[in-house]
Amino acid sequence: MPSRTTLQAVLFDMDGTLVDTEGLWWQAAEEEARQLGLTLSDADVPDVLGRAVEHTAAHLHGISDGAKSEASIAAALDHRFVELVSQQVVPLPGALELLDGLADAGIRTALVSASPRHVVDLVLDALGRRRFATSFAAGETPQTKPAPDPYLAAVHALGASPEGCVAVEDTPTGVASAEAAGVAVVAVPSLTPIAPGPGRAVVRSLLDVDLSLLQRLLDSAAA
């Protein structure tokens, strides 16, 4: 029987996972698309949800045949998203309870986001900075999600090992990032379905996540 892997840390995505902002990001992208004479559809989801502003700006620039520069699209997206977040930062059901339960158990946590630092700081202030040992935002690692860099950086900053960590994510892009870093994943799908898989559990909400589930996931990943 393989030895048990101790849960060392839990690494949380931000938008759509801890706070209800994934819909706000989609709203910001939809509004900018309309300014460009476009209507977003399900085909655009992989280039919007879980993506950094630069990626979504490049996508909108491309499908609008360069109607505006990437830089101006990115600035508009960022401005509108910050505006929406500052008005509507709402922790998702179970988020604060899970974070506090992990703290009570001595489990460290990190925030790993594809949003820019000023948006991450808005959310950290709303959730309580004391709840996180470290955080990473877009531009603070060589590559952002779906590359493994943000999760590897968080694991390193916590002095943990990938096999001792679990990531909590809501998009396929984020899941790909965490799994590329060798981290097991609890997926809480927001706007896009995510299938279960090896080293991956899929739940309906954070209310379904507890220490027992996290440890069982590590045990199954090590089996």
Side-chain angles (χ1 to χ4, degrees):
M1 175 180 291
S3 59
R4 193 179 211 209
T5 300
T6 301
L7 177 63
Q8 300 171 12
V10 182
L11 317 174
F12 287 92
D13 172 58
M14 186 180 82
D15 299 310
T17 299
L18 288 176
V19 288
D20 190 11
T21 52
E22 205 67 83
L24 301 181
W25 176 238
W26 182 260
Q27 181 180 335
E30 276 191 318
E31 291 177 5
E32 180 60 17
R34 281 196 294 271
Q35 294 294 319
L36 298 169
L38 303 168
T39 300
L40 296 185
S41 69
D42 289 347
D44 300 293
V45 167
D47 289 298
V48 176
L49 295 187
R51 293 290 191 172
V53 62
E54 293 82 6
H55 182 99
T56 299
H59 173 66
L60 294 178
H61 174 77
I63 64 176
S64 64
D65 295 324
K68 288 172 60 176
S69 70
E70 287 186 32
S72 61
I73 294 173
L77 285 169
D78 181 67
H79 176 78
R80 183 58 177 147
F81 184 55
V82 169
E83 186 176 58
L84 291 168
V85 170
S86 64
Q87 296 167 356
Q88 304 179 51
V89 175
V90 178
L92 284 164
L96 299 184
E97 294 83 355
L98 177 56
L99 289 166
D100 291 343
L102 292 170
D104 290 344
I107 305 298
R108 293 167 298 163
T109 59
L111 192 66
V112 183
S113 179
S115 285
R117 171 53 62 181
H118 56 277
V119 176
V120 170
D121 285 340
L122 273 176
V123 174
L124 282 173
D125 289 339
L127 294 177
R129 290 175 179 269
R130 63 180 174 78
R131 290 188 164 99
F132 301 93
T134 190
S135 64
F136 287 87
E140 295 177 352
T141 55
Q143 297 184 79
T144 191
K145 303 175 186 180
D149 304 39
Y151 279 105
L152 289 174
V155 169
H156 178 75
L158 293 171
S161 61
E163 60 270 19
C165 296
V166 175
V168 184
E169 273 281 357
D170 75 307
T171 67
T173 298
V175 169
S177 174
E179 291 182 345
V183 176
V185 175
V186 172
V188 192
S190 54
L191 300 179
T192 304
I194 298 172
R200 183 196 309 167
V202 180
V203 298
R204 291 173 297 178
S205 81
L206 293 178
L207 294 169
D208 298 322
V209 183
D210 57 17
L211 276 171
S212 176
L213 171 66
L214 298 170
Q215 186 61 60
R216 288 199 309 272
L217 181 59
L218 283 191
D219 292 342
S220 66

